[in-house]
Structures are given as C-alpha cells and as structure tokens.
Amino acid sequence: MPSGTLALRTVAMPKDTNPNGDIFGGWLISQMDLAASTCAKQACYCRVATVAMDSISFLQPVSVGDILCFYTELLSTGRSSMKIRIEAWKISLKRKDEQRIKVTEGVFTFVALDDAGKSKPVFSSETK
C-alpha cells in the first residue's frame, strides 16, 4: 500500500505518450518533481529547487487514462536541503476493483532558497 502523504493526483493523457502508447518516463518524473516540491515547500515555507534525483525506479508501465497518485515523505533535512521519498501509484479504470499498483519510486533532494535564489537554512527566522 502507498506510504506517505498524497501530494498530487492526475490522469495520464494521450499527449504524454511515446510511440508505443506508454506514458513517457520524463512526464512521470516531472509529475514526481511537482509532488515532491509541494512536500519540500511545506517543510520550509519558502522557494525551493530540485538539486538531485536519486534511485528512480520504473516498476510498471503507465497507460493513457490511468489515474496517478503521488505520495511523498520527508526523509531528512540538512542545513538547506531536504530529501523527499516519492512513490507513484496508478489506478487503472480498466479494472473494476480500482486496485492501486506502484509504478515508480525515487528520492528527490531539494534546497531551500531565499528571494535572491541563494540557498538558505531550511529552518530559520524568516522561514515561517
């Protein structure tokens, strides 16, 4: 079962496919980045930027019409960085039971930024 907090839910559309009709991995990573950035922003209440994507595993293909649910968990914080685990699960409406199937997972690292785009402490007097 999914673990973490539901951060994003979307539907895979025809424009997001490769020539084989499967959803592009790049589109999936983009959605993961959006969901993970939401988690990062909630941790520091400031501007954030993705600085690394580690351990991304594509486990199952995603098809047009699949509903994708992205779950996030803040794993750790450094001075200005945050590691976020993210899982993507699909619900295929072709199945009557609406079973969730994990399609990808990874760990993204974000850095907290000030208004000038410079790194800043995740927890500071100007954060909240």
Side-chain angles (χ1 to χ4, degrees):
M1 291 306 299
S3 62
T5 302
L6 180 63
L8 179 69
R9 188 174 164 139
T10 190
V11 177
M13 300 297 286
K15 67 178 178 57
D16 306 314
T17 61
N18 62 26
N20 297 321
D22 295 321
I23 298 301
F24 274 118
W27 178 83
L28 199 53
I29 290 172
S30 175
Q31 301 306 303
M32 292 171 74
D33 193 38
L34 284 171
S37 69
T38 300
C39 180
K41 287 181 79 79
Q42 288 176 323
C44 67
Y45 296 97
C46 66
R47 184 175 166 191
V48 296
T50 310
V51 295
M53 293 179 272
D54 303 320
S55 309
I56 296 174
S57 301
F58 295 100
L59 308 170
Q60 295 285 324
V62 176
S63 301
V64 171
D66 286 348
I67 298 169
L68 293 167
C69 303
F70 299 87
Y71 295 86
T72 59
E73 178 184 7
L74 181 63
L75 294 177
S76 64
T77 57
R79 187 191 76 75
S80 63
S81 65
M82 297 155 277
K83 283 199 177 287
I84 306 204
R85 183 187 53 75
I86 182 158
E87 298 177 350
W89 292 71
K90 73 177 179 179
I91 301 169
S92 175
L93 295 182
K94 295 173 187 169
R95 298 176 55 107
K96 291 182 181 179
D97 63 2
E98 295 191 15
Q99 175 187 11
R100 283 178 165 71
I101 299 167
K102 188 191 289 190
V103 295
T104 189
E105 60 188 355
V107 176
F108 286 50
T109 304
F110 287 82
V111 66
L113 300 173
D114 64 18
D115 291 337
K118 303 282 187 201
S119 67
K120 68 176 230 161
V122 171
F123 303 109
S124 69
S125 59
E126 51 196 69
T127 334
K128 294 186 181 184

